Amino acid sequence: MNIQQLERQVIVPNNDFIHKAEKLKPVLHETIVKPSHIVSVKADKNYIHGWRVDSISSASNLINNEYKKDDSFILDFGDHQVGYLSLNIRPAGSPPDAPLKLKLTFGEMPVEVAEPFENYNGWLSSSWLQEETIFVDVLPTSIQLPRRYSFRYVKFDIVDTSPKYRVVFEKVECHAVTSAILQNVQDINHHDLVMQKIDEVSIKTLADCMQEVFEDGPKRDRRLWLGDLRLQALANYETFRNNDLVKRCLYLFAGVPDNKGRVPANVFISPKLIADDTYLYDYSLLFAVTLYDYYLETRDTDTLKELWPTAFRQIELALDRLDENNIVQDSSDWWSFIDWNDNLNKQTPSQGVLIYTMKRAILLAEELNVKEVEILKIRLKEIIEATKKYLWDEEQQFFISGLERQISWASQIWMVLAEILPLEENKLLLNRLLSEKPSIGISSPYMYHYLIEALILTNKEEVAIQEMKNYWGEMIKDGADTFWELFDPNNKDFSPYGSHLINSYCHAWSCTPTYLIRKYNL
Amino acid sequence: MNIQQLERQVIVPNNDFIHKAEKLKPVLHETIVKPSHIVSVKADKNYIHGWRVDSISSASNLINNEYKKDDSFILDFGDHQVGYLSLNIRPAGSPPDAPLKLKLTFGEMPVEVAEPFENYNGWLSSSWLQEETIFVDVLPTSIQLPRRYSFRYVKFDIVDTSPKYRVVFEKVECHAVTSAILQNVQDINHHDLVMQKIDEVSIKTLADCMQEVFEDGPKRDRRLWLGDLRLQALANYETFRNNDLVKRCLYLFAGVPDNKGRVPANVFISPKLIADDTYLYDYSLLFAVTLYDYYLETRDTDTLKELWPTAFRQIELALDRLDENNIVQDSSDWWSFIDWNDNLNKQTPSQGVLIYTMKRAILLAEELNVKEVEILKIRLKEIIEATKKYLWDEEQQFFISGLERQISWASQIWMVLAEILPLEENKLLLNRLLSEKPSIGISSPYMYHYLIEALILTNKEEVAIQEMKNYWGEMIKDGADTFWELFDPNNKDFSPYGSHLINSYCHAWSCTPTYLIRKYNL
């Protein structure tokens, strides 16, 4: 379990930026969704997490059922939903002579309504598990649950009524919300139905994460992370084109730098804008990359001008971490995300992110015609040379990372994306990676995205498509309505948190296939 | 476990009466009460239910404490409260990166915050156990819990925060409510401090049960029962003198008779006035007795005139149940309350209630100068004669009840109150009862009240005082802030429900000592 917690964090808010972000707050669009079926969840080892869903009847039959103490049922809303639950409850039998005690459990996946939350023993807070126990003193009643949930399934446990009455559930509805405008997305009618489906599920994933900010996961974390934002923004440009939401998110980060000018890895927006006390080497750099992508898409020079100093400051701070050989210093107490893998050495992939960022920053600096372009170019040249000299293992023909000279997928992928080697050598490097398969692999869809980008960059579209089908396609086969935070086709119970119950099954950084398909005509 | 449930109940509402009751709805007065102490509850077999309360510190220290996952604490509000809880929660440490999961458990008695509700296995609905599990997505926050609780102690279980933050609780308050006006009560400054204290606790009990109706228990049931109303009204006349609340309750019962004219044993007032489908022989008769008491107190002739037909109808229906010998028919399928004792035969005590009621009804009929007075007098004479002939056991010198000729306390008490025997014989009967102590004893304070009334009626004030001290005084020694629904000095774990967790520890029918003390100058 790794968490970053600062004793002393000094934020220097930029109220002008914060105000701009506030003005860009999007409208949430609401859709009323009714459950489709009453279902049962049965143990079956042939299904993901060991749980199979069977339909019992249409959900329209619900109003005919009277439930008593210890009864339970599960509603299937037919697809992933992010929103608010409302329902009416009426009594049957004698006048209710005791409150109704009702437990509701919300699941993105069948496992969440099958395995008791009481057994959860992961290290992330159990408070993320979506459940409510409510007492109803007066029946009949209409209930609008005040919290937002992310779910497809809702389990109703009638914990207690009284021996004298039963309850009937009517008008159970989800008021689904998103700031995405679905009509803005163009149909692609992909000839390959697998790719068509991958595109659709990507778009649904992105839509469900698009709320007042680009959230990382509508079930868990529910906040704006920089690394996720970069990928969501790319997918958004190809689909919903809500570019103001990207702009808003950039201003939110730029609004709460610390006293060194660092932007945090993530921000909270309630009860007000708050910078988390987590700072990540790669995520800070991705601020500049996200600004670059945004500018390429919008040509919004005003925003570029205003946010350039923030972007450049992240690079300055990243450069400060280089050692005398121009290599990112590795140590036990620094933080760079790269991938969800505690065994991964972050030095070389972070060096790759730095170079990747500097190349884009130079283009922005040239566009702006600012003096920083010179120093960026000089430093980039030095850093690339150092990278080749110190991080390339000529014998093994791989980039190595850290004191133990680790060979990881992440190092090779980021070095390919940083385009240090010529295209042909990059191709050979990727071939070698795919054939030799170093053991320090890819843990998250986030890192998987950059593998696909690297494949496309080296003209390996066919391999890219196959990898996408192997990865996101396999999630769909396993029942994904939206793409998951974490997926290992070889270990489908994988969770870095100690329990697959707490994994997010609609996660921003998984939404990029639609970008890859549409941008590169895959 | 006994419950009454009717397949077919036809209510003939009297909208004029319902409207009158509605117009008499009282204002609830709110008092803000702060907790006095942070306490611990420790196992100690010398205390009631085996739990002792120790003070840890003043509750004003609460704001200095930061709580994390799995922490808990108990607040003591210093006295019994009926009301709404509000509190502020602020985070300490890093920005909260997960919801707060907080469990609150409310206890009238230490046992309720000491023994886990999960272990509850009684036959009354577990939904009465006062607890809430709440999730707080955004901190800091102000919370006003929407439900009303009845409690002295509140246990806070911080189920989860996250490893990055803790929580601080501020401004924890109870908004206590009652329709009683405390200033209306005159001080008595009783020379006997035990009686003084019994009087005070009685008044507190009554006040906490006085809400929009005279509730039976503010924790459990929370509704208007006829038998309880009669006793509350008596206590009210000597203390708060909120006679309109008695009037309102009489109209509520009279507003929802069934198609035979029977008034229900209890009514619900939310979401609207609803007659429960429970009918009790003795409680229906007590409608007439309550009207009699009310008229004696208020001389409100209009109400008497309007409600007389309802009162008389209960007597007609009760008379219909007499057999050819003019004795209340016993059977396995009828319902008369009398006391909380499944072993008690209800025949003879019910016959006592009937005679007791008819005597008062005759006085009302004379006051009204209505023709029913004649038939009442004729029938009363016949019934008294029958009672002496069939229910009095000359050999044993006790009233017997049922086929098995049961000798119970309840039979003797109600027959004394019915004044069938001359005063001197009544005295001897009570002496015999107190010395021979038949095994079918008294289970509830409700029946205990009528014992004391019987003692006073036979001029045994000293015995009455001693019995009150033995009973209600013993409750106070055991820590009663308000008098309990159930108390057996010889079996302090007694519960007719299978668990002392679900007993009510502020219960209307226990509030009568103030009436007895003040009315009879005890």
Side-chain angles (χ1 to χ4, degrees):
Chain A
M1 164 182 160
N2 284 315
I3 58 165
Q4 190 178 158
Q5 194 158 19
L6 298 184
E7 284 304 308
R8 192 169 150 70
Q9 177 194 28
V10 180
I11 298 298
V12 184
N14 183 320
N15 290 321
D16 182 33
F17 287 0
I18 294 171
H19 184 64
K20 278 208 166 76
E22 184 61 26
K23 283 179 69 177
L24 292 164
K25 190 159 135 179
V27 171
L28 294 182
H29 310 287
E30 186 177 307
T31 312
I32 293 179
V33 182
K34 293 177 187 299
S36 61
H37 287 87
I38 305 173
V39 298
S40 65
V41 178
K42 300 264 175 63
D44 187 335
K45 62 181 168 44
N46 297 314
Y47 286 76
I48 185 86
H49 306 132
W51 297 102
R52 186 187 78 229
V53 177
D54 293 338
S55 170
I56 294 174
S57 79
S58 163
S60 61
N61 291 329
L62 185 65
I63 55 168
N64 302 320
N65 299 348
E66 296 182 355
Y67 295 99
K68 62 183 190 313
K69 177 177 179 166
D70 293 334
D71 284 345
S72 77
F73 63 92
I74 298 170
L75 292 182
D76 177 357
F77 278 75
D79 199 354
H80 190 270
Q81 311 297 338
V82 176
Y84 299 85
L85 194 81
S86 66
L87 64 157
N88 292 350
I89 312 176
R90 68 172 176 83
S94 291
D97 59 337
L100 163 67
K101 182 176 181 183
L102 176 68
K103 184 175 170 191
L104 299 172
T105 307
F106 299 81
E108 296 183 317
M109 293 291 287
V111 65
E112 293 163 88
V113 291
E115 297 181 5
F117 287 171
E118 289 75 12
N119 299 349
Y120 171 74
N121 199 24
W123 63 264
L124 278 189
S125 177
S126 62
S127 60
W128 286 120
L129 300 171
Q130 301 178 111
E131 59 174 335
E132 302 293 342
T133 300
I134 56 178
F135 293 85
V136 182
D137 291 320
V138 177
L139 289 167
T141 190
S142 289
I143 294 176
Q144 287 85 39
L145 293 177
R147 302 178 72 213
R148 199 194 73 191
Y149 307 97
S150 182
F151 66 100
R152 173 171 169 170
Y153 306 99
V154 185
K155 183 175 186 197
F156 287 65
D157 283 296
I158 293 84
V159 183
D160 220 331
T161 54
S162 93
K164 293 191 71 171
Y165 78 98
R166 299 166 300 288
V167 282
V168 178
F169 296 89
E170 300 174 327
K171 218 179 169 216
V172 181
E173 292 176 349
C174 173
H175 299 246
V177 287
T178 176
S179 56
I181 298 175
L182 306 184
Q183 298 88 306
N184 287 1
V185 182
Q186 291 184 324
D187 284 342
I188 54 168
N189 295 316
H190 205 291
H191 65 279
D192 182 334
L193 292 183
V194 174
M195 294 298 270
Q196 170 71 24
K197 184 70 183 170
I198 290 175
D199 183 66
E200 288 169 7
V201 174
S202 297
I203 292 167
K204 175 68 172 155
T205 305
L206 178 59
D208 283 359
C209 292
M210 282 172 71
Q211 303 293 336
E212 293 192 345
V213 295
F214 284 102
E215 295 185 10
D216 65 327
K219 166 180 147 182
R220 207 208 63 239
D221 291 8
R222 304 188 189 182
R223 49 192 149 125
L224 175 60
W225 285 85
L226 242 170
D228 306 59
L229 169 62
R230 196 256 162 151
L231 300 190
Q232 286 168 294
L234 290 178
N236 170 71
Y237 301 140
E238 302 300 323
T239 54
F240 301 114
R241 303 178 199 282
N242 186 346
N243 299 345
D244 272 356
L245 188 61
V246 181
K247 181 175 169 183
R248 163 171 157 82
C249 292
L250 285 167
Y251 274 101
L252 287 172
F253 280 111
V256 282
D258 72 2
N259 52 350
K260 292 182 194 152
R262 276 194 304 184
V263 294
N266 68 86
V267 297
F268 302 89
I269 58 166
S270 291
K272 57 171 188 170
L273 178 62
I274 298 171
D276 189 26
D277 59 357
T278 297
Y279 294 86
L280 298 169
Y281 188 87
D282 54 343
Y283 274 34
S284 295
L285 287 168
L286 291 174
F287 181 89
V289 175
T290 310
L291 181 60
Y292 169 82
D293 297 335
Y294 172 78
Y295 179 71
L296 276 204
E297 182 66 24
T298 62
R299 300 289 161 180
D300 174 356
T301 313
D302 291 344
T303 297
L304 175 58
K305 275 185 189 160
E306 206 158 45
L307 296 183
W308 166 254
T310 303
F312 181 70
R313 183 64 189 142
Q314 306 316 306
I315 297 168
E316 285 186 310
L317 290 165
L319 291 172
D320 284 350
R321 201 178 160 85
L322 300 190
D323 64 15
E324 66 282 6
N325 294 327
N326 282 320
I327 300 297
V328 176
Q329 289 179 66
D330 198 12
S331 64
S332 58
D333 65 345
W334 78 305
W335 296 84
S336 186
F337 178 72
I338 304 298
D339 196 8
W340 244 130
N341 188 343
D342 282 344
N343 298 319
L344 175 66
N345 183 282
K346 311 291 176 77
Q347 183 184 46
T348 295
S350 298
Q351 183 97 357
V353 174
L354 173 62
I355 295 164
Y356 179 91
T357 304
M358 288 176 78
K359 287 185 170 178
R360 282 151 184 79
I362 286 166
L363 296 174
L364 292 181
E366 285 174 341
E367 190 77 18
L368 287 168
N369 200 18
V370 288
K371 66 178 188 319
E372 295 93 325
V373 71
E374 291 313 318
I375 185 69
L376 282 171
K377 284 182 172 175
I378 292 164
R379 295 293 285 127
L380 177 64
K381 191 159 177 288
E382 294 166 356
I383 293 164
I384 289 176
E385 278 170 20
T387 302
K388 289 180 186 167
K389 181 173 177 185
Y390 295 105
L391 300 179
W392 176 249
D393 186 318
E394 187 62 31
E395 192 182 330
Q396 301 190 77
Q397 292 285 301
F398 275 123
F399 287 94
I400 53 87
S401 182
L403 265 183
E404 297 181 12
R405 303 178 69 80
Q406 181 184 78
I407 294 172
S408 67
W409 286 61
S411 291
Q412 317 317 315
I413 290 166
W414 273 111
M415 283 303 170
V416 167
L417 292 172
E419 298 178 88
I420 290 166
L421 305 177
L423 178 61
E424 286 309 312
E425 287 181 42
N426 257 352
K427 282 186 185 180
L428 293 172
L429 175 57
L430 273 186
N431 287 347
R432 219 172 294 125
L433 179 70
L434 293 169
S435 65
E436 295 194 16
K437 299 188 195 309
S439 65
I440 304 293
I442 295 176
S443 291
S444 68
Y446 175 76
M447 192 66 231
Y448 230 92
H449 166 83
Y450 287 112
L451 167 65
I452 307 296
E453 285 268 33
L455 290 169
I456 292 167
L457 184 71
T458 53
N459 306 323
K460 297 176 186 298
E461 281 83 359
E462 285 311 307
V463 184
I465 290 169
Q466 196 51 52
E467 288 289 342
M468 288 171 69
K469 288 183 175 180
N470 290 348
Y471 196 69
W472 286 274
E474 186 70 14
M475 279 193 231
I476 291 174
K477 282 187 194 163
D478 279 331
D481 301 305
T482 47
F483 287 127
W484 304 340
E485 176 190 18
L486 298 151
F487 184 62
D488 180 347
N490 301 313
N491 174 16
K492 292 185 177 176
D493 279 339
F494 170 65
S495 169
Y497 313 118
S499 167
H500 49 224
L501 283 175
I502 205 103
N503 286 5
S504 160
Y505 295 97
C506 174
H507 218 73
W509 68 22
S510 252
C511 76
T512 57
T514 187
Y515 158 75
L516 297 165
I517 291 168
R518 289 167 184 248
K519 178 79 175 179
Y520 302 112
N521 292 309
L522 299 186
Chain B
M1 165 182 161
N2 283 315
I3 57 165
Q4 190 178 158
Q5 194 159 20
L6 299 183
E7 283 304 307
R8 193 169 149 70
Q9 177 193 29
V10 180
I11 298 298
V12 183
N14 182 320
N15 289 322
D16 182 33
F17 288 0
I18 294 171
H19 184 64
K20 278 207 167 76
E22 183 62 26
K23 283 180 69 178
L24 292 163
K25 191 158 136 180
V27 171
L28 294 182
H29 310 286
E30 185 177 309
T31 313
I32 293 179
V33 182
K34 292 177 187 300
S36 60
H37 288 87
I38 305 173
V39 299
S40 65
V41 178
K42 300 264 175 62
D44 186 334
K45 62 180 168 45
N46 296 316
Y47 286 76
I48 186 87
H49 306 132
W51 298 102
R52 186 187 79 229
V53 176
D54 293 338
S55 170
I56 294 174
S57 79
S58 163
S60 62
N61 291 328
L62 185 64
I63 55 168
N64 302 319
N65 299 348
E66 297 183 354
Y67 295 98
K68 62 182 191 311
K69 178 177 178 165
D70 292 335
D71 284 345
S72 77
F73 63 93
I74 298 170
L75 292 182
D76 177 357
F77 278 75
D79 199 355
H80 190 270
Q81 310 297 339
V82 176
Y84 299 84
L85 195 81
S86 65
L87 64 157
N88 293 349
I89 312 176
R90 68 172 176 82
S94 292
D97 59 337
L100 163 67
K101 183 177 181 183
L102 176 68
K103 184 176 170 189
L104 299 172
T105 307
F106 300 81
E108 295 182 318
M109 293 291 287
V111 64
E112 294 164 86
V113 291
E115 297 181 7
F117 288 171
E118 288 74 13
N119 299 349
Y120 171 74
N121 199 24
W123 63 265
L124 279 188
S125 177
S126 62
S127 61
W128 285 119
L129 299 171
Q130 302 178 109
E131 59 175 336
E132 302 293 343
T133 299
I134 56 179
F135 292 85
V136 182
D137 292 320
V138 177
L139 289 168
T141 190
S142 289
I143 294 176
Q144 287 85 37
L145 293 177
R147 301 178 72 213
R148 199 194 73 191
Y149 307 97
S150 182
F151 66 99
R152 173 170 170 171
Y153 305 100
V154 185
K155 184 175 186 198
F156 288 65
D157 283 296
I158 294 83
V159 183
D160 220 331
T161 53
S162 93
K164 293 191 70 170
Y165 79 97
R166 299 166 301 287
V167 282
V168 178
F169 296 90
E170 300 174 326
K171 219 179 168 213
V172 181
E173 292 175 349
C174 173
H175 299 246
V177 287
T178 176
S179 56
I181 297 175
L182 306 183
Q183 298 88 307
N184 287 1
V185 182
Q186 291 184 324
D187 284 341
I188 54 168
N189 296 315
H190 204 291
H191 65 279
D192 182 334
L193 292 183
V194 174
M195 294 298 270
Q196 171 71 24
K197 184 69 184 171
I198 290 175
D199 183 67
E200 288 170 7
V201 174
S202 297
I203 292 168
K204 175 67 172 156
T205 306
L206 178 59
D208 283 359
C209 293
M210 282 172 71
Q211 303 294 335
E212 292 192 344
V213 294
F214 284 102
E215 295 185 10
D216 65 329
K219 166 181 146 182
R220 207 208 63 239
D221 291 8
R222 304 188 189 180
R223 50 192 147 124
L224 176 60
W225 285 85
L226 241 169
D228 306 59
L229 169 63
R230 196 256 162 151
L231 299 190
Q232 286 168 295
L234 291 178
N236 169 71
Y237 301 140
E238 301 300 321
T239 54
F240 300 115
R241 303 178 200 282
N242 187 346
N243 299 344
D244 273 355
L245 188 60
V246 182
K247 181 175 170 183
R248 163 170 157 85
C249 292
L250 285 167
Y251 275 100
L252 287 172
F253 280 111
V256 282
D258 71 2
N259 52 350
K260 291 183 195 152
R262 276 195 303 185
V263 294
N266 68 86
V267 297
F268 303 89
I269 58 166
S270 290
K272 58 172 188 169
L273 178 62
I274 298 171
D276 189 26
D277 59 358
T278 297
Y279 293 86
L280 298 169
Y281 188 86
D282 54 343
Y283 274 34
S284 295
L285 286 168
L286 291 173
F287 180 89
V289 175
T290 309
L291 181 61
Y292 169 82
D293 297 334
Y294 172 78
Y295 179 71
L296 276 204
E297 183 66 25
T298 62
R299 300 288 160 181
D300 174 355
T301 314
D302 291 344
T303 297
L304 174 60
K305 275 185 188 158
E306 207 159 44
L307 296 184
W308 166 254
T310 303
F312 181 70
R313 182 65 189 142
Q314 307 316 305
I315 298 168
E316 285 186 311
L317 290 164
L319 292 172
D320 284 350
R321 200 178 162 86
L322 300 190
D323 64 15
E324 66 282 6
N325 295 327
N326 282 319
I327 300 297
V328 175
Q329 290 178 65
D330 198 13
S331 64
S332 59
D333 64 344
W334 79 306
W335 297 84
S336 187
F337 179 72
I338 305 297
D339 196 8
W340 244 130
N341 187 343
D342 282 344
N343 298 318
L344 175 66
N345 183 282
K346 311 290 176 78
Q347 183 184 46
T348 294
S350 299
Q351 182 98 356
V353 174
L354 174 61
I355 295 164
Y356 179 91
T357 304
M358 289 176 78
K359 288 184 170 179
R360 283 152 185 79
I362 287 166
L363 296 173
L364 291 181
E366 286 174 341
E367 190 78 17
L368 286 169
N369 200 20
V370 288
K371 66 178 189 319
E372 295 93 327
V373 71
E374 292 312 318
I375 184 71
L376 282 170
K377 283 181 172 176
I378 292 165
R379 295 293 285 128
L380 178 63
K381 191 159 176 288
E382 294 167 355
I383 293 164
I384 288 176
E385 278 170 22
T387 302
K388 288 179 188 170
K389 181 172 176 185
Y390 295 106
L391 299 179
W392 175 252
D393 186 318
E394 187 62 30
E395 192 181 331
Q396 301 190 77
Q397 292 285 301
F398 276 124
F399 286 94
I400 52 86
S401 182
L403 264 184
E404 297 182 11
R405 302 177 69 80
Q406 181 184 77
I407 295 173
S408 67
W409 286 62
S411 291
Q412 317 316 315
I413 291 166
W414 273 112
M415 284 301 170
V416 167
L417 292 171
E419 297 178 271
I420 291 166
L421 305 177
L423 177 60
E424 286 309 311
E425 287 181 43
N426 257 352
K427 282 186 185 180
L428 293 172
L429 174 59
L430 273 186
N431 288 346
R432 220 172 293 126
L433 180 70
L434 293 169
S435 64
E436 296 195 16
K437 299 188 195 310
S439 65
I440 304 294
I442 295 176
S443 291
S444 68
Y446 174 77
M447 192 65 231
Y448 230 93
H449 165 83
Y450 287 112
L451 167 65
I452 308 296
E453 285 268 33
L455 291 168
I456 293 167
L457 184 69
T458 53
N459 307 323
K460 296 177 186 298
E461 281 81 0
E462 285 311 308
V463 183
I465 289 168
Q466 196 50 53
E467 288 290 341
M468 287 171 69
K469 288 184 176 180
N470 290 348
Y471 196 69
W472 285 274
E474 187 71 13
M475 278 194 233
I476 291 174
K477 283 188 194 162
D478 280 331
D481 301 305
T482 47
F483 287 127
W484 304 340
E485 177 189 18
L486 298 151
F487 184 63
D488 179 348
N490 301 313
N491 174 16
K492 291 185 177 175
D493 279 339
F494 170 66
S495 169
Y497 314 117
S499 167
H500 48 223
L501 283 175
I502 204 102
N503 286 6
S504 161
Y505 295 96
C506 174
H507 217 74
W509 68 22
S510 253
C511 77
T512 58
T514 187
Y515 158 75
L516 297 165
I517 291 168
R518 290 166 183 249
K519 178 80 176 178
Y520 302 113
N521 292 309
L522 299 186

